[in-house]
Amino acid sequence: MTRIHDDPATFADDQLAGFLDLYADRVRGVHGGVVAHRGDGGPQVAVVIGGGSGHYPAFCGTVGPGMAHGAVVGNIFTSPSAAQAYSVAKAADQGRGVVFSFGNYAGDTINFGIAADRLRAEGIDTRVVVVTDDVASADEPSRRRGIAGDFTVFKAMGAAAARGADLDEVERIGNRANAATRTLGVAFSGCTMPGEDEPLFTVPDGHLGLGLGIHGEPGIRDVPMLPARELAELLVDDVLKHAPAGAPGRVGAILNGLGTTKYEELFLLWRHVAPRLRDAGYAIVDPEVGELVTSLDMGGCSLTLMWLDDELEPLWRADAYTPAYRKSAAPVAALREPTADELAEADAVVTAPAASGAARGLAGTVRTALAAVESTIRSHEHELGRIDAVAGDGDHGRGMLKGITAATARVGELGDDVGGGWALQQAGQAWAERAGGTSGVLWGAALEAFGRHLGDTADGYPAATVVAGTREFATTIQQLGGAQAGDKTLLDALLPFVDELERRVGAGEGLAGAWTAAAATGAAAATADLRPRIGRARPLAEKSVGTPDAGATSLGLIVTAVADVLTSQEEQT
Amino acid sequence: MTRIHDDPATFADDQLAGFLDLYADRVRGVHGGVVAHRGDGGPQVAVVIGGGSGHYPAFCGTVGPGMAHGAVVGNIFTSPSAAQAYSVAKAADQGRGVVFSFGNYAGDTINFGIAADRLRAEGIDTRVVVVTDDVASADEPSRRRGIAGDFTVFKAMGAAAARGADLDEVERIGNRANAATRTLGVAFSGCTMPGEDEPLFTVPDGHLGLGLGIHGEPGIRDVPMLPARELAELLVDDVLKHAPAGAPGRVGAILNGLGTTKYEELFLLWRHVAPRLRDAGYAIVDPEVGELVTSLDMGGCSLTLMWLDDELEPLWRADAYTPAYRKSAAPVAALREPTADELAEADAVVTAPAASGAARGLAGTVRTALAAVESTIRSHEHELGRIDAVAGDGDHGRGMLKGITAATARVGELGDDVGGGWALQQAGQAWAERAGGTSGVLWGAALEAFGRHLGDTADGYPAATVVAGTREFATTIQQLGGAQAGDKTLLDALLPFVDELERRVGAGEGLAGAWTAAAATGAAAATADLRPRIGRARPLAEKSVGTPDAGATSLGLIVTAVADVLTSQEEQT
């Protein structure tokens, strides 16, 4: 919906006033529209474009060096008057004549025609180039409406004028550009005039209006909405079907959004449009994907092709600098593709450091522990989900399983010569990438920090080193997640576990025994009575009281599983 | 609604593929995002920005010379993973370190933080600049979300890096730019995720969500929709209320559209924003009005100010050339304001030519005739409306009255020394400008042509000259309107009138008598049985059969009224 306005009746004038304030350094307002400040070259043929408002950047947004010299600004979707066109042309004229150019609509044709007569009567040679690119609007090319192809025609003439072409030449080029341009559009939804609650027209739900005009003029037919690939095929194939006779194998292209259809959608469509054009044998020259001719908040898009020969191609490629359309070859020409060395450096995979014998031994423990964790999570997946569903979205079991599965798979791909520190780092990265969600990212980062702390160069991994690694694990989760003890998160099991482990190992206890006792402490931590104070569970805080935290529960399960691994390893040695 | 997609689950990757195809001459795709080709200067500190997709131009649209060196592209509205951020930074790094910058959201903070740790562990010095511009999101500045102020912060850092600043400097400038930037946004409507039928969130009908976040995060409150002026006041006053302490009197400004809110609406709003800022004592530097940080098809806008001191201002003004944002001082600097001579020439009002005595006499007849026409149209306004309403929109009487009233008023303003030809031309211009619609334009142009044919230099205006003027009148309507006899338009009364007038005057009859007889012929022309073949009445063609054409009827009334004027003038002389 069009929502920002004061008096809807003065919308067109009011928006123009804002435009003129914004671009006062490059254009000036005159009765009926906008005239570009002149450049420092000699006088140029004045290309004066125009039509109704509501189509920005058409028309005043493309006034400036390399494009139009003036734009006549009518009311919304309404032709400007002859007096407006006359006034803008009079101000834009630099003594070398005027070319009026606009889309083929009855009102514009009449009013610009009257203005042209009046200018000629005053001795200002004035020509008229009418844009007729919309292949859906009529079989007979000269009766077709003008839509996004306005842009290619205006650009060709603006570039020619900027190069000093005379009036005959600019007119001739405009007509050639129009003869070389074809557009097909589709609409997904209508647009709403300022002050109105209902759209000017509608497209049936789940359909697209094929060939619907930019003011809602009748199209060819409504068809059910298509996936992007098929929509691209429809647009490309139909525009190519209307290719000018003897057309060259190069095209300028515009994939134009009508208002509500956004850039991401247009890029997605371009992904299919470009290869289909190339498969048809065309070289695509300087394509434009974006909003060049819109219709307020209408949903839809159009594909325009201009077939480029040796005369039109440089005009299409030429620089321009207007409020809405700016193109400069120089900054792109100054760029260079990355060198092979740079690419190699960027893509260089960090390889595992050489591992000590002790580190390689530790890797075995890591593998065994990860397998045990995967096993316990797999058997508790649904229980964890049920606990999480009380005040969350119930995906904790599934997320943890995705994480640990990715971690064990990654470690399984590592060679036998890596150390335990590297294995834990790789496990953490895989976990974070696959598990998703905040808990996945935290578990992954914490495992990675644990592994980094252990390293792979030590001659041995005494209990104190492992304890310091678990502290690193906990600190990472605290820092990244921003939670504190008592917030009803996994920290409420993790911190008691690490504290107890530190205490026992500090008192001289062996790792396996200390870990087993600490795991019991962690697993027993009572989070059921806590209220969540962080994260997405917060809004449902009351509802969760009486149920333990899912993250604390899974942590308890995991440290318990690891305790069994450590105990059985100690028994074996 | 977001409509163009294939598999909605792969929307973000699919649109990125199209973007990379489109801009293959200036960026390359890497795992997790986009890296800009390097310029030909020396290596730069790499500014790597990012966040979820759906915000184009944020983030990949602002990668290029003068802005960012890489963009990490997450799923829609979802933080990219740490692995993605790491990968893009690794590829973007030019050996001078990396600054990550992104809006303040938990997922982004965690993932970019992890990536930064990993890069540092590999010896790539990496800093993090978090954008916190959204004054509606928290009282404590460091807890605020990042929205359109992303752009000012990225731009300041990109410009600093392009000038060769080192890592400490780029980081420092980023933090300064963030500390100098404030944004307040409003939402009019929610956005729809690809593949979904319902919006992600809604704003109550007729309301705006003040401070609503770009993913629908809670704002301050919903308020009834405001006229543009009040909306501008709300935005300006609230952002100024949060001005940094000791802020300078210059601001860079962004009036940002969120997706469905169009450029014309933003210009209209800017019309109020700019003077209010100036009234508050601010100089506005290089304002940007348009889409810089969007949210799919969300309706709404935001105002961002960056307070500019001597360090930040040149960075804000600096050139940039990216897919979506291109700025260059040179083309604007090359422009010049029009000279006084050029302005005078452009604005020169064409003055009435010196009129002969006969022409001045003719002017009296024109005035009298126009007054008579106004009188008859006024008394038949409603009747003409009723006729028109049968198959049209019923405004013919009203439109004709507006036209003739404007014409008589304009002629009334002319001095006594103008000729009749000039008076008719002025009458025609006024008619066309005020009456509106095709019939107003045709009547105006035809009167103007009539007047131009008569001219103001003749020693006399014999009947043959007047007859030729009426033929000119008819030809103008035929050529501009494209209608033929029998199409059920005013031509079906006009052509018989002119034909009969020509025949009688050609046979030697006096003007008043011939006109009176021809007027009777014209007024009697039976259009009731015709079917419309042109214009907006065509769809209702059958309905109009049995009713005369309103335009033909008014033409008959007018020539009859003029006949009376000519007759009474002939009697007086």
Side-chain angles (χ1 to χ4, degrees):
Chain A
M1 220 164 104
T2 303
R3 315 225 187 194
I4 301 181
H5 53 77
D6 294 298
D7 178 358
T10 59
F11 183 94
D13 286 344
D14 293 348
Q15 64 90 20
L16 183 59
F19 175 86
L20 291 170
D21 178 292
L22 186 65
Y23 294 111
D25 56 351
R26 54 201 91 173
V27 299
R28 68 191 169 99
V30 297
H31 172 70
V34 171
V35 175
H37 287 351
R38 297 188 191 183
D40 47 10
Q44 297 177 10
V45 170
V47 176
V48 175
I49 62 177
S53 292
H55 301 300
Y56 194 86
F59 295 90
C60 60
T62 54
V63 164
M67 288 281 292
H69 302 76
V72 193
V73 179
N75 217 324
I76 302 212
F77 291 1
T78 304
S79 168
S81 73
Q84 289 181 297
Y86 166 85
S87 160
V88 174
K90 193 97 187 289
D93 175 46
Q94 302 183 9
R96 298 191 61 194
V98 171
V99 182
F100 278 136
S101 192
F102 47 86
N104 185 30
Y105 299 92
D108 294 301
T109 305
I110 292 175
N111 283 300
F112 281 97
I114 294 169
D117 281 345
R118 203 175 293 167
L119 291 160
R120 284 185 208 113
E122 289 182 22
I124 298 178
D125 197 352
T126 304
R127 314 294 171 85
V128 172
V129 171
V130 182
V131 183
T132 57
D133 59 312
D134 182 358
V135 298
S137 55
D139 288 333
E140 162 73 31
S142 69
R143 295 177 64 91
R144 290 175 181 161
R145 299 186 293 252
I147 48 177
D150 282 355
F151 185 87
T152 61
V153 177
F154 300 164
K155 174 142 196 353
M157 286 194 288
R163 288 170 186 201
D166 67 16
L167 187 62
D168 287 341
E169 182 79 352
V170 174
E171 179 189 22
R172 184 184 65 77
I173 281 170
N175 286 319
R176 287 204 66 220
N178 181 56
T181 298
R182 303 285 186 277
T183 300
L184 177 65
V186 294
F188 309 138
S189 60
C191 50
T192 307
M193 302 284 273
E196 300 295 325
D197 288 328
E198 296 299 320
L200 195 59
F201 62 93
T202 57
V203 178
D205 265 359
H207 285 67
L208 57 83
L210 181 63
L212 201 75
I214 58 172
H215 315 93
E217 297 91 343
I220 299 172
R221 62 183 182 278
D222 293 330
V223 299
M225 186 66 200
L226 297 170
R229 178 185 295 275
E230 291 173 38
L231 177 56
E233 290 170 1
L234 174 76
L235 291 171
V236 170
D237 296 355
D238 204 74
V239 174
L240 290 183
K241 206 171 70 190
H242 291 88
R250 283 164 292 162
V251 288
I254 300 172
L255 189 58
N256 177 61
L258 288 178
T260 304
T261 298
K262 302 314 302 169
Y263 278 75
E264 282 95 342
E265 296 176 87
L266 297 173
F267 293 143
L268 196 150
L269 192 58
W270 180 253
R271 175 176 175 245
H272 300 301
V273 166
R276 192 151 185 103
L277 281 171
R278 292 188 192 111
D279 287 349
Y282 285 103
I284 308 170
V285 178
D286 287 7
E288 298 288 345
V289 176
E291 296 181 353
L292 290 175
V293 178
T294 66
S295 293
L296 293 173
D297 61 335
M298 187 167 161
C301 62
S302 61
L303 175 67
T304 298
L305 298 181
M306 176 161 67
W307 275 261
L308 299 174
D309 58 17
D310 290 345
E311 181 173 59
L312 292 176
E313 181 172 342
L315 301 169
W316 173 246
R317 286 186 182 274
D319 284 2
Y321 198 83
T322 75
Y325 178 74
R326 302 171 192 182
K327 176 174 184 166
S328 178
V332 178
L335 299 176
R336 58 174 179 78
E337 308 256 342
T339 63
D341 277 359
E342 285 163 0
L343 280 179
E345 196 179 325
D347 298 342
V349 176
V350 180
T351 50
S356 65
R360 286 203 297 275
L362 182 66
T365 307
V366 167
R367 287 174 206 266
T368 309
L370 289 172
V373 171
E374 180 176 340
S375 168
T376 195
I377 293 295
R378 195 174 289 284
S379 50
H380 291 87
E381 177 192 353
H382 299 295
E383 181 191 336
L384 292 170
R386 276 192 302 273
I387 295 172
D388 186 40
V390 172
D393 56 7
D395 68 352
H396 183 70
R398 178 157 171 69
M400 290 295 287
L401 186 59
K402 280 168 78 175
I404 183 62
T405 307
T408 53
R410 175 77 61 88
V411 171
E413 291 162 8
L414 299 174
D416 286 337
D417 54 350
V418 302
W422 179 255
L424 267 180
Q425 290 177 58
Q426 293 297 306
Q429 291 187 18
W431 188 311
E433 284 165 35
R434 293 297 175 81
T438 305
S439 87
V441 171
L442 295 178
W443 261 97
L447 284 176
E448 197 181 345
F450 195 169
R452 210 181 295 131
H453 180 81
L454 295 177
D456 292 304
T457 55
D459 292 332
Y461 290 89
T465 302
V466 176
V467 170
T470 61
R471 176 59 70 191
E472 198 62 29
F473 182 102
T475 303
T476 300
I477 285 181
Q478 277 179 295
Q479 287 180 346
L480 290 175
Q484 305 297 327
D487 286 350
K488 194 164 188 169
T489 70
L490 83 167
L491 287 175
D492 294 312
L494 176 59
L495 295 176
F497 161 75
V498 176
D499 290 347
E500 183 67 13
L501 184 64
E502 258 177 6
R503 196 184 63 74
R504 288 179 177 264
V505 169
E509 217 171 306
L511 181 63
W515 187 293
T516 301
T521 303
T527 60
D529 292 342
L530 295 173
R531 279 178 175 73
R533 291 196 300 222
I534 190 166
R536 62 165 189 238
R538 195 175 41 176
L540 298 165
E542 287 309 318
K543 214 173 152 189
S544 87
V545 173
T547 304
D549 178 62
T553 305
S554 63
L555 184 102
L557 290 169
I558 289 168
V559 291
T560 302
V562 173
D564 293 343
V565 170
L566 296 176
T567 303
S568 89
Q569 288 213 333
E570 201 171 84
E571 285 165 0
Q572 284 168 26
T573 51
Chain B
M1 224 168 99
T2 303
R3 315 226 186 195
I4 300 181
H5 54 75
D6 295 296
D7 178 357
T10 59
F11 182 95
D13 287 343
D14 293 348
Q15 63 90 22
L16 183 59
F19 175 87
L20 291 171
D21 179 291
L22 186 65
Y23 293 112
D25 56 352
R26 55 202 89 174
V27 299
R28 67 190 169 98
V30 297
H31 173 68
V34 170
V35 175
H37 287 351
R38 298 188 189 183
D40 46 10
Q44 297 177 9
V45 169
V47 176
V48 176
I49 62 179
S53 292
H55 302 300
Y56 194 86
F59 295 89
C60 60
T62 55
V63 164
M67 289 281 292
H69 301 76
V72 193
V73 179
N75 216 326
I76 302 208
F77 292 0
T78 303
S79 166
S81 71
Q84 288 181 299
Y86 166 84
S87 159
V88 173
K90 192 97 187 287
D93 175 47
Q94 302 182 9
R96 297 191 61 195
V98 171
V99 182
F100 278 133
S101 192
F102 47 86
N104 185 28
Y105 299 91
D108 293 302
T109 305
I110 292 175
N111 282 300
F112 281 97
I114 294 169
D117 280 346
R118 203 176 294 169
L119 290 161
R120 285 185 207 112
E122 289 181 23
I124 299 177
D125 198 352
T126 303
R127 313 293 172 86
V128 172
V129 171
V130 182
V131 183
T132 57
D133 59 312
D134 182 359
V135 298
S137 56
D139 289 332
E140 161 74 27
S142 69
R143 294 177 64 92
R144 290 174 180 161
R145 298 185 291 250
I147 50 176
D150 282 353
F151 185 87
T152 61
V153 178
F154 300 163
K155 173 141 195 357
M157 287 194 287
R163 288 168 186 205
D166 67 16
L167 186 63
D168 286 341
E169 182 80 352
V170 175
E171 179 190 20
R172 184 183 65 77
I173 281 170
N175 285 318
R176 289 203 65 220
N178 182 55
T181 298
R182 302 286 186 274
T183 300
L184 178 64
V186 294
F188 308 138
S189 60
C191 50
T192 307
M193 302 284 273
E196 299 295 323
D197 289 328
E198 297 300 320
L200 195 59
F201 61 94
T202 58
V203 178
D205 265 359
H207 285 67
L208 58 83
L210 180 63
L212 200 73
I214 57 172
H215 315 93
E217 296 92 343
I220 299 171
R221 62 182 183 279
D222 293 330
V223 300
M225 187 65 200
L226 297 170
R229 180 185 295 275
E230 291 172 40
L231 177 56
E233 290 169 2
L234 174 75
L235 291 171
V236 170
D237 296 356
D238 204 75
V239 173
L240 290 183
K241 207 172 67 190
H242 290 87
R250 284 164 291 161
V251 288
I254 299 173
L255 190 57
N256 177 60
L258 288 179
T260 304
T261 299
K262 300 316 301 170
Y263 278 75
E264 283 94 342
E265 297 176 86
L266 297 174
F267 293 143
L268 196 149
L269 191 58
W270 180 252
R271 175 175 175 246
H272 300 302
V273 166
R276 194 149 185 102
L277 281 171
R278 291 187 193 110
D279 287 349
Y282 285 104
I284 307 171
V285 179
D286 287 7
E288 299 288 344
V289 176
E291 296 181 353
L292 290 175
V293 178
T294 65
S295 293
L296 293 173
D297 59 335
M298 188 165 160
C301 62
S302 61
L303 175 67
T304 300
L305 298 181
M306 175 161 68
W307 276 262
L308 298 173
D309 57 17
D310 290 344
E311 180 173 59
L312 291 176
E313 181 172 342
L315 301 170
W316 174 245
R317 285 187 183 274
D319 285 3
Y321 198 85
T322 75
Y325 179 74
R326 302 171 191 182
K327 176 173 185 168
S328 179
V332 178
L335 300 177
R336 60 175 177 78
E337 309 257 340
T339 63
D341 279 358
E342 286 163 358
L343 280 179
E345 195 178 325
D347 299 341
V349 177
V350 181
T351 50
S356 65
R360 285 203 297 275
L362 182 66
T365 308
V366 167
R367 288 175 206 268
T368 312
L370 289 172
V373 171
E374 181 175 342
S375 168
T376 194
I377 292 296
R378 196 175 289 283
S379 50
H380 291 86
E381 178 193 354
H382 299 295
E383 180 191 336
L384 291 170
R386 277 193 300 275
I387 294 171
D388 186 40
V390 173
D393 56 5
D395 68 352
H396 183 71
R398 179 156 171 68
M400 289 296 288
L401 186 58
K402 281 169 78 175
I404 183 62
T405 308
T408 53
R410 174 78 59 89
V411 170
E413 293 162 8
L414 300 174
D416 286 337
D417 54 350
V418 303
W422 180 254
L424 267 181
Q425 290 176 60
Q426 293 297 306
Q429 289 186 22
W431 189 312
E433 283 165 37
R434 291 298 174 80
T438 304
S439 88
V441 172
L442 294 177
W443 261 97
L447 285 176
E448 197 181 345
F450 195 169
R452 210 182 296 131
H453 180 81
L454 295 177
D456 292 305
T457 55
D459 293 333
Y461 292 87
T465 302
V466 176
V467 170
T470 60
R471 176 60 69 192
E472 198 65 27
F473 182 102
T475 303
T476 300
I477 285 181
Q478 278 180 295
Q479 286 179 348
L480 290 175
Q484 305 298 328
D487 286 350
K488 195 163 188 169
T489 71
L490 84 166
L491 286 175
D492 294 311
L494 176 60
L495 295 176
F497 161 76
V498 176
D499 291 345
E500 182 68 12
L501 184 65
E502 258 178 5
R503 196 184 62 75
R504 287 177 178 266
V505 170
E509 215 170 308
L511 182 63
W515 187 294
T516 303
T521 304
T527 60
D529 292 341
L530 295 174
R531 279 176 175 73
R533 291 196 300 221
I534 191 168
R536 63 164 186 237
R538 197 175 39 172
L540 298 164
E542 288 308 319
K543 214 171 153 189
S544 89
V545 173
T547 305
D549 179 63
T553 305
S554 62
L555 189 276
L557 290 168
I558 288 168
V559 291
T560 302
V562 173
D564 294 343
V565 171
L566 295 175
T567 302
S568 88
Q569 287 213 332
E570 202 170 83
E571 282 162 3
Q572 284 167 26
T573 53

